[in-house]
Amino acid sequence: MTPAQPKDPGPPAAGGSPAEPDPAAGNAAFDGPAAGDVSLEDTAAGGMTPFDDIYDQPDPRAYFRALGPWEYRTPHHAQGVFRRVLDARAPERDPAGSAAVLDLCCSYGFNAALLNHHLTWDDLHVHYTSPQAAALTPAELIEWDKEFYAARRRPDAVRVIGLDAAPRAISYARAVGLLDEGFAENLETAPAGPALRRAVRHTRLITITGGASFLSPRTFRPLLESVDGPVWVASFVLRTGSYQSIADCLTSYGLTTEKATGRTFPQRRFTSERERRYAVAAVGAAGEDPSGKETDGYFHTALYLSRPAADAAKTPLSALVPPA
């Protein structure tokens, strides 16, 4: 659901400044940097490679060809976290099966693919860059992918709703069966449609692995107002910017935001020295330490988890984050 701009070109790191809480604690109540926040305007002007061409193709082949050489990995890191979060929420899930995951900036449905199928991120890369895939038309690839995903469907698959500004990406994800419902809407620029509001009613988990830099409370308010029960929000956010405005919005809906402090998650390698300089400067401006992370050539993301305070007290964030 990004505004036709690149999904976060590099993952944010979860801490690293001298004042950061002890990593052994595993998480910290998020109070956000103040004076050092990096704005959306700063990000857009920061010299990141945009990759604009790959986000709204008829299928994901160009996506994997473009990002593969730069070792893009965020959905891989998110796969284990999202499964643990869903397990933690299992007693509250609707026994009728209507409870859903809402994936923001869902692109071609990769998070749904990893969550609901016996597949890894590397499996998807091999699949979409294979000679067999290259030889197919988009329509033929969709037919092949229907069988590919159906044969690998997990018995504990959950209902997934996708939201993204890219209509062709949404269409692909629906056609191959990755999304139960998909909406090509941009809530940053237009109100949520009535069908979207109805669809998200039973959402119990909102996920984000790319695009948080382009989102604001404008996206979250109509969604949270449409959900009819307690919801958790799990976001992998580039360390080059701030999550504060979104965390503040979630607080107003009764959700406490924590930031995982025990580790960061490499997103991808820099494509240029300009990207490295931008990332190092932006991370420092956001109050974090780029040493050993962005200085070593990779964008990093931080994990933020928002949920009711009672849920946070019952299940520590550290228990939901796989070891490095």
Side-chain angles (χ1 to χ4, degrees):
M1 218 224 38
T2 61
Q5 297 189 47
K7 310 294 165 65
D8 294 348
S17 68
E20 183 181 81
D22 181 359
N27 63 77
F30 178 63
D31 205 15
D37 287 357
V38 178
S39 69
L40 173 59
E41 290 75 18
D42 293 332
T43 300
M48 297 184 293
T49 301
F51 294 105
D52 286 340
D53 295 344
I54 66 175
Y55 295 115
D56 196 23
Q57 296 292 319
D59 60 68
R61 288 176 290 186
Y63 183 102
F64 281 96
R65 287 196 303 267
L67 290 179
W70 306 108
E71 302 173 26
Y72 176 72
R73 303 287 291 168
T74 302
H76 161 76
H77 300 305
Q79 183 177 21
V81 171
F82 293 164
R83 287 231 179 101
R84 284 174 168 84
V85 168
L86 284 173
D87 287 345
R89 299 229 57 196
E92 306 167 37
R93 297 225 326 251
D94 185 342
S98 60
V101 173
L102 171 62
D103 191 28
L104 300 187
C105 308
C106 68
S107 187
Y108 300 92
F110 302 135
N111 287 328
L114 297 179
L115 188 63
N116 284 336
H117 301 83
H118 293 290
L119 289 166
T120 66
W121 185 247
D122 289 339
D123 291 334
L124 295 183
H125 180 268
V126 169
H127 176 71
Y128 286 110
T129 59
S130 68
Q132 297 96 312
L136 300 176
T137 67
E140 290 169 340
L141 180 67
I142 285 174
E143 292 304 312
W144 189 38
D145 280 352
K146 287 179 183 178
E147 297 179 5
F148 176 79
Y149 288 113
R152 293 160 177 82
R153 187 81 170 176
R154 292 171 60 98
D156 58 351
V158 298
R159 180 174 174 78
V160 180
I161 301 165
L163 181 60
D164 198 289
R168 291 201 290 182
I170 288 285
S171 178
Y172 162 84
R174 289 293 313 278
V176 301
L178 293 177
L179 298 179
D180 294 278
E181 295 187 76
F183 297 87
E185 300 184 26
N186 185 350
L187 305 192
E188 293 295 303
T189 60
L196 171 59
R197 285 181 175 270
R198 288 192 299 270
V200 303
R201 179 182 172 189
H202 298 293
T203 297
R204 294 296 176 263
L205 173 63
I206 296 174
T207 58
I208 309 170
T209 56
S213 300
F214 301 106
L215 301 182
S216 77
R218 287 189 296 272
T219 288
F220 287 87
R221 288 191 192 105
L223 299 174
L224 294 171
E225 289 166 1
S226 301
V227 173
D228 68 357
V231 65
W232 292 18
V233 182
S235 303
F236 285 78
V237 184
L238 276 175
R239 204 159 78 125
T240 50
S242 172
Y243 195 62
Q244 186 64 56
S245 66
I246 293 175
D248 289 343
C249 172
L250 299 179
T251 297
S252 70
Y253 288 90
L255 305 182
T256 298
T257 297
E258 297 173 284
K259 176 183 177 184
T261 60
R263 63 178 294 191
T264 63
F265 303 87
Q267 193 214 37
R268 67 161 172 83
R269 289 192 296 115
F270 300 134
T271 62
S272 66
E273 174 61 17
R274 183 183 183 189
E275 277 198 333
R276 189 195 68 81
R277 289 196 305 267
Y278 160 71
V280 169
V283 167
E288 305 286 359
D289 182 2
S291 301
K293 298 177 176 69
E294 289 79 12
T295 58
D296 284 2
Y298 285 78
F299 284 107
H300 277 244
T301 58
L303 169 64
Y304 295 86
L305 183 63
S306 305
R307 51 194 169 152
D311 292 341
K314 183 168 58 177
T315 307
L317 176 54
S318 58
L320 303 174
V321 180

